[in-house]
Amino acid sequence: MNELPLHTLMITFIPRARIAASCLLLMLPGALAQRPDPPTRDPHSPGYVTAKELPDGAIPPASADGNFVIGPTHSPAPGLSSMEATPHGTVIEFTMNSTDSKIYPGIARQPNTFGTPDPSDPAKLIVTTSHPAPYTRKVAVYVPKRYVPGTLAPFIVGADGPDRVLFSALDALIAESKIPVMIAISIGNGGGDAQGSERGLEYDTMSGTYAEFVENEVLPLVETKAHVKLTKNPDGRATMGYSSGGACALIMAWYHPEWYHRVLAYSGTFVNQQWPPSLQTPHGAWEFHEHLIPNTTAKPVRIWMEVGDRDLFNPNVMHDNMHDWVLANENMAKVLAAKGYHYQFVFARKAVHVDRAVLRQTLPEALEYVWTGYAPSAAK
């Protein structure tokens, strides 16, 4: 077990623009199709949700539902610009091996290979170069200074860890009593990206499998190695992630609302990227705004989402019209509003996919919003 005071760690986490394999160079018969540069979108385009334009540099209040436009300037939130006066938690790190997992034994796609569109169905990508492969993943557990050993704690599970920016934001917010004293569990992915990879299998699959992996294989290790006790109450449990990790955060809560009620997603990959394909959800995470949310009774889930005006867009990779990250997130906001969800949607001007400056500007407010309404006495 490796225990490191958080103040001795540099904030080195840079959200990677997890470009989907379907958005990289794709070899097509007789031609080479290259992902075009994403266009800059106008948040007030026809068909987009009606959103409140905030003064440059401002962010929405943590108490407000709805749609907001921020930017183009993105300065760090006070809690992420100066950390000298903040009490610092401890980070415990450990490694998990694929050989120890009953749920994810491991796959990988051969280097420099990608999928090809199914000629009979443009919504499907054929991947022939994925094969069994071992992996290791790092798990980092943040324990705040104010945690009382032996007590049940709320927690947040994050993808693509370790996430030092999250830990620093929690330090500042907990010190100011703006959020509950919580544990953060930042889980590394199993490697690769998109269709045919372990990361893609974990994050883009529309099922409860990843949440079950976390519940049954990760959380018991967290309690043992970090010497913490985690609440079983879903109101005291949150998920978060970036890109496909953001889609995964909602997938976890959607398929297991008895475990998670709070979701935070930056540049969520609510597009058609699931592999292997599924008869139940043939369009992958695009199904969230296409069918699942509109056609399902609202679940007890509170959601914060962000997308950038230059977020990912590739209309040519599969010709399925389901690879537009901005449109996907706009559609998400539209259907969430129609079903009466508590949600906050932030459209960031002058921002790319999982924009680092936007993350540092908005993460503290996003965490406050997601944890609004938390009742410590109920989360046992």
Side-chain angles (χ1 to χ4, degrees):
M1 179 172 64
N2 182 21
E3 298 190 9
L4 302 173
L6 188 56
H7 66 274
T8 66
L9 298 170
M10 294 182 64
I11 300 175
T12 56
F13 171 73
I14 300 177
R16 296 168 59 189
R18 293 282 188 177
I19 308 300
S22 58
C23 293
L24 296 172
L25 298 183
L26 178 64
M27 295 300 296
L28 300 177
L32 179 65
Q34 185 170 356
R35 178 174 57 89
D37 291 333
T40 300
R41 312 300 183 86
D42 180 354
H44 305 299
S45 297
Y48 286 11
V49 294
T50 301
K52 181 177 181 180
E53 187 106 24
L54 299 181
D56 189 21
I59 59 174
S63 58
D65 289 349
N67 313 308
F68 300 89
V69 180
I70 65 171
T73 304
H74 304 290
S75 301
L80 291 179
S81 59
S82 176
M83 306 300 298
E84 293 303 319
T86 303
H88 296 281
T90 301
V91 174
I92 299 95
E93 295 186 348
F94 60 90
T95 298
M96 297 181 67
N97 297 309
S98 56
T99 52
D100 297 325
S101 177
K102 295 180 180 179
I103 297 176
Y104 290 124
I107 62 169
R109 195 177 59 246
Q110 291 177 15
N112 303 315
T113 65
F114 310 106
T116 56
D118 185 336
S120 64
D121 184 354
K124 292 182 181 179
L125 197 71
I126 299 174
V127 181
T128 62
T129 58
S130 182
H131 55 87
Y135 64 80
T136 60
R137 74 173 83 235
K138 185 174 289 186
V139 179
V141 184
Y142 162 87
V143 182
K145 187 175 182 179
R146 288 169 53 186
Y147 173 69
V148 178
T151 60
L152 284 171
F155 64 91
I156 184 167
V157 174
D160 289 322
D163 188 343
R164 309 299 179 191
V165 176
L166 169 63
F167 301 159
S168 294
L170 293 178
D171 258 343
L173 293 170
I174 291 172
E176 297 172 15
S177 298
K178 291 183 175 180
I179 60 173
V181 177
M182 73 177 72
I183 308 299
I185 303 155
S186 189
I187 306 170
N189 63 72
D193 192 28
Q195 296 95 331
S197 73
E198 181 64 30
R199 181 179 185 268
L201 181 67
E202 294 170 8
Y203 294 174
D204 295 319
T205 298
M206 296 290 287
S207 77
T209 302
Y210 185 77
E212 292 153 17
F213 163 72
V214 173
E215 191 73 18
N216 297 316
E217 298 191 5
V218 180
L219 298 188
L221 288 175
V222 168
E223 291 190 314
T224 298
K225 294 182 178 294
H227 306 293
V228 296
K229 293 180 67 176
L230 303 173
T231 182
K232 299 292 186 182
N233 191 297
D235 203 46
R237 291 166 158 227
T239 61
M240 70 171 289
Y242 312 102
S243 191
S244 286
C248 179
L250 179 55
I251 290 168
M252 292 175 71
W254 182 265
Y255 287 97
H256 283 292
E258 77 280 13
W259 289 342
Y260 298 101
H261 282 180
R262 305 174 189 275
V263 174
L264 192 159
Y266 281 86
S267 294
T269 300
F270 302 116
V271 304
N272 180 25
Q273 194 164 287
Q274 178 173 238
W275 183 89
S278 165
L279 292 175
Q280 291 74 33
T281 52
H283 297 161
W286 191 269
E287 294 279 355
F288 271 131
H289 44 93
E290 185 180 34
H291 296 123
L292 294 178
I293 295 173
N295 298 336
T296 305
T297 301
K299 295 176 184 281
V301 177
R302 184 180 186 87
I303 306 172
W304 188 97
M305 306 183 304
E306 177 271 348
V307 78
D309 62 353
R310 289 179 287 158
D311 225 301
L312 299 184
F313 177 59
N314 190 343
N316 300 318
V317 61
M318 294 168 69
H319 297 285
D320 62 356
N321 297 315
M322 290 181 277
H323 284 84
D324 183 336
W325 271 248
V326 176
L327 180 60
N329 280 270
E330 289 281 344
N331 287 347
M332 285 289 294
K334 192 177 301 182
V335 298
L336 289 170
K339 296 298 287 191
Y341 278 83
H342 285 294
Y343 80 94
Q344 188 178 102
F345 173 49
V346 172
F347 184 105
R349 292 188 184 274
K350 198 176 180 181
V352 296
H353 188 64
V354 193
D355 192 278
R356 179 174 175 80
V358 172
L359 172 69
R360 294 175 65 82
Q361 177 190 25
T362 60
L363 182 57
E365 185 273 334
L367 288 164
E368 280 192 72
Y369 176 84
V370 163
W371 285 96
T372 297
Y374 172 75
S377 60
K380 299 299 185 182

